[in-house]
Amino acid sequence: MAELMVFDLQRFALHDGPGIRTTVFLKGCPLDCIWCHNPESKKGKPQMGYLEKNCTYCGRCQKLCQYSVHRVSKRDCHKIDFSKCVQCGLCVDACPNHALKIFGKRMTSEEILQVVMKDWDFYQKSGGGLTVSGGEPMLQFYALLELLKKAKEKGLHICLDTSGQASQNQYKAVAEFVDVFLFDYKITDPEEHKRYTGVDNRLILKNLDYLCRNGSHIYLRCPIIPGINDNEQHYEGIAKLSRKYEGIEQVNLMMYHDMAKGKSVQIGEQYALPDIKTIEAEKKKLIYSKVESYGCLGLQDS
């Protein structure tokens, strides 16, 4: 029985497809977006997380750890060598204030669906269901396919949130089980795309074309990042795609927020964009107006 590496499971999600949904977040991603809102999702293996504000410097973690991961002084200092952590979880269980956690847990499709099906009545009333997100879900293709098949057998409406960076054959295999693809469109220029995500967008656009031409329903999800893709070329590119494909039913502009700064610290990493601030309401209105002025179809407030 295949297992999926899950780093979060959120019930009553309202922004990951239509209606009330349960969103399952899978670890691992083939892209390395420097603005990533979920930096704990990038690596495909479990990771230690540390929430400093909860720490009372009791030292229990240091006493238990055999690998010298923790170094704690009595008053105000807790140093963690994340590179030494083997994710055994002993320190997490011992922490009295939940300052430590492991991002990443192996779950079977049955275990996931046991949680998802608890809210069946809400899905029925709202038109919601299951959303699988990440990271990039397609990176765990075979286990993902098993989950989608079993979810569809239970009558669930399914959304798949994807970067588009996987083989076309894999998208062909999952398409019959997916009601809506939440398809990321990050940067229009291929070289700039590679600069900021680690890959160009050629395969991504090829897969978008395939899905649209083969009857899939698409919500185009467009993160807007100040100083990176908040420009005329990209706004026009979004609008052109919305007009090119009838399969693109919605365009969602995902405004940058800086929550990832704190998340990066939790897993012992430096955030690549420390000076970029959350896009506020007035700036958001201007961006929507600009994209709309290029003739964007299906533009939805998000």
Side-chain angles (χ1 to χ4, degrees), residues 68-80:
S68 302
V69 173
H70 304 276
R71 191 167 71 252
V72 184
S73 66
K74 290 185 178 180
R75 294 192 175 181
D76 61 357
C77 184
H78 183 172
K79 300 290 186 181
I80 299 177

Side-chain angles (χ1 to χ4, degrees), residues 46-211:
Q47 291 173 271
M48 167 70 70
Y50 170 55
L51 193 61
E52 184 177 14
K53 68 177 183 179
N54 289 359
C55 185
T56 58
Y57 313 103
C58 67
R60 294 184 190 183
C61 54
Q62 180 174 298
K63 292 175 183 177
L64 277 173
C65 184
Q66 302 176 37
Y67 303 97
S68 302
V69 173
H70 304 276
R71 191 167 71 252
V72 184
S73 66
K74 290 185 178 180
R75 294 192 175 181
D76 61 357
C77 184
H78 183 172
K79 300 290 186 181
I80 299 177
D81 188 340
F82 290 89
S83 66
K84 294 180 178 179
C85 182
V86 298
Q87 298 85 40
C88 66
L90 291 177
C91 61
V92 175
D93 295 337
C95 181
N97 295 293
H98 307 291
L100 299 170
K101 69 178 296 183
I102 299 293
F103 290 107
K105 176 184 178 181
R106 294 195 178 279
M107 297 180 71
T108 66
S109 54
E110 285 82 1
E111 290 172 331
I112 292 170
L113 290 172
Q114 281 179 6
V115 178
V116 174
M117 293 304 292
K118 290 179 180 179
D119 298 317
W120 173 259
D121 289 344
F122 292 103
Y123 308 147
Q124 291 295 97
K125 292 175 182 177
S126 68
L130 167 67
T131 296
V132 186
S133 186
E136 173 50 65
M138 297 292 279
L139 209 58
Q140 301 185 49
F141 171 71
Y142 293 105
L144 169 68
L145 184 59
E146 179 182 293
L147 172 63
L148 298 180
K149 287 179 179 179
K150 290 183 177 180
K152 189 52 68 179
E153 287 172 2
K154 292 183 179 295
L156 285 163
H157 182 279
I158 297 173
C159 290
L160 182 64
D161 190 355
T162 181
S163 68
Q165 187 71 19
S167 77
Q168 190 173 109
N169 285 337
Q170 289 180 338
Y171 283 106
K172 182 178 180 179
V174 301
E176 65 178 293
F177 306 105
V178 176
D179 296 286
V180 177
F181 284 92
L182 309 179
F183 199 101
D184 292 352
Y185 182 61
K186 301 176 187 295
I187 300 174
T188 297
D189 181 83
E191 293 305 317
E192 289 294 288
H193 197 286
K194 186 173 183 177
R195 176 184 176 188
Y196 290 112
T197 74
V199 301
D200 64 40
N201 59 5
R202 291 179 176 85
L203 177 60
I204 293 167
L205 291 174
K206 181 179 177 181
N207 284 324
L208 178 62
D209 182 82
Y210 170 79
L211 291 172

